[in-house]
């Protein structure tokens, strides 16, 4: 079994690798999360179309909440990414490497907006909540299932069930999980179809498939 990133799992699936998900982690009693496009509260933006011609930061090309899903929101709002946003290099996308870095860059005004996971603002400014009040969420993506624990499809049904039961038996609602697991509560069963929405985000509109981003330095 392997604990895969959501996008890594979907890319493997799309490449024809015979894998299937068994369970996904539950954090803060949720099995999914959303991407968010954030900006400062003092910005006049009301809709995503207002970001045309503005500076927008993303996390990294493989990030579901920090790029793929927010990009899909922008494209469906009528913007060409990267063509309709301002970046360091024309025709490229500014990737800052981390969700926290994007939040800080937007807070400092280095970017007009940024794509991150929902809740990242509070996470960055948990020691100074007043700062988080200076930022707001302009739009949210649809829910994205947490990263799956996967196995090869060829594994026996009995073995799959043993692995699944082992993960489902882990209950961290009464005992604190190891800190490196990031606020884990436990695990929940998932199926391949739960992640189909990620395929749509990866493929995007047909007119957008040829556009590619290029990684920039990890700090603004």
């Amino acid at each position: 079994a392997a604990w895969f990133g959501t996008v890594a799992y979907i890319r493997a699936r799309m490449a024809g690798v015979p894998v299937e998900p068994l369970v996904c982690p539950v954090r803060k009693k949720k099995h999914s999360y959303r991407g968010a496009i954030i900006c400062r509260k003092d910005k006049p933006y009301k809709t995503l179309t207002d970001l045309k011609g503005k500076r927008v930061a993303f996390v990294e090309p493989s990030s579901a909440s920090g790029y793929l899903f927010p990009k899909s929101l922008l494209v469906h709002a009528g913007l060409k990414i990267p063509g309709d946003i301002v970046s360091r290099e024309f025709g490229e996308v500014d990737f800052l490497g981390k969700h926290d870095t994007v939040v800080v860059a937007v807070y400092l005004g280095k970017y007009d907006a940024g794509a991150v996971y929902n809740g990242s603002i509070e996470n960055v400014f948990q020691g100074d909540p007043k700062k988080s009040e200076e930022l707001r969420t302009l739009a949210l993506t649809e829910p994205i299932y947490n990263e799956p624990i996967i196995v090869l499809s060829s594994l026996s049904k009995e073995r799959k069930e043993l692995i699944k039961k082992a993960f489902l038996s882990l209950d961290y609602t009464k005992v604190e999980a190891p800190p490196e697991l990031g606020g884990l509560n436990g695990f929940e069963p998932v199926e391949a179809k739960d992640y189909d929405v990620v395929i749509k985000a990866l493929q995007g509109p047909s007119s957008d498939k040829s556009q590619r981003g290029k990684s920039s330095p990890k700090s603004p």
Side-chain angles (χ1 to χ4, degrees):
W3 195 325
F4 256 45
T6 298
V7 176
Y9 156 62
I10 289 299
R11 288 194 186 280
R13 242 177 74 179
M14 293 174 70
V17 181
V19 293
E20 62 181 85
L22 297 182
V23 297
C24 78
V26 176
R27 298 186 180 92
K28 297 181 180 179
K29 299 182 179 180
K30 295 181 180 180
H31 61 246
S32 62
Y33 60 103
R34 293 175 184 264
I37 296 179
I38 64 171
C39 64
R40 288 190 58 86
K41 278 189 176 179
D42 53 18
K43 295 290 184 179
Y45 316 137
K46 295 182 179 180
T47 66
L48 293 178
T49 55
D50 295 331
L51 296 181
K52 186 173 183 178
K54 301 299 188 296
R55 300 163 299 170
V56 182
F58 298 92
V59 178
E60 58 183 6
S62 62
S63 174
S65 60
Y67 179 57
L68 296 172
F69 277 70
K71 175 189 175 184
S72 182
L73 279 182
L74 291 166
V75 170
H76 281 91
L79 277 66
K80 294 179 180 179
I81 305 299
D84 285 337
I85 60 174
V86 175
S87 54
R88 293 191 186 99
E89 296 182 38
F90 181 75
E92 304 293 349
V93 170
D94 284 353
F95 293 116
L96 307 188
K98 295 181 179 180
H99 293 265
D100 290 4
T101 306
V102 173
V103 171
V104 173
V106 174
Y107 175 80
L108 295 175
K110 295 184 177 182
Y111 284 88
D112 299 299
V116 292
Y117 71 87
N118 188 33
S120 59
I121 295 175
E122 292 76 11
N123 183 60
V124 171
F125 297 121
Q126 56 184 330
D128 192 351
K130 287 187 176 181
K131 288 185 177 180
S132 66
E133 296 175 4
E134 296 182 42
L135 298 175
R136 62 186 173 92
T137 298
L138 187 59
L140 287 172
T141 71
E142 55 190 310
I144 309 164
Y145 266 82
N146 290 338
E147 71 279 11
I149 282 74
I150 67 169
V151 295
L152 286 173
S153 301
S154 58
L155 197 65
S156 70
K157 183 177 179 180
E158 292 75 18
R159 196 67 171 171
K160 291 175 185 175
E161 285 303 311
L162 281 173
I163 294 172
K164 182 184 292 187
K165 287 180 180 179
F167 277 102
L168 295 180
S169 69
L170 298 173
D171 183 0
Y172 293 114
T173 57
K174 297 179 181 178
V175 180
E176 187 175 354
E180 59 266 30
L181 295 183
L184 187 70
N185 300 136
F187 294 86
E188 188 173 295
V190 289
E191 299 178 18
K193 65 181 182 180
D194 296 328
Y195 295 90
D196 287 350
V197 66
V198 184
I199 295 178
K200 296 178 182 179
L202 275 170
Q203 292 176 334
S206 58
S207 61
D208 188 53
K209 288 182 181 178
S210 62
Q211 295 180 1
R212 298 177 181 271
K214 180 180 178 182
S215 295
S216 298
K218 292 184 180 294
S219 59

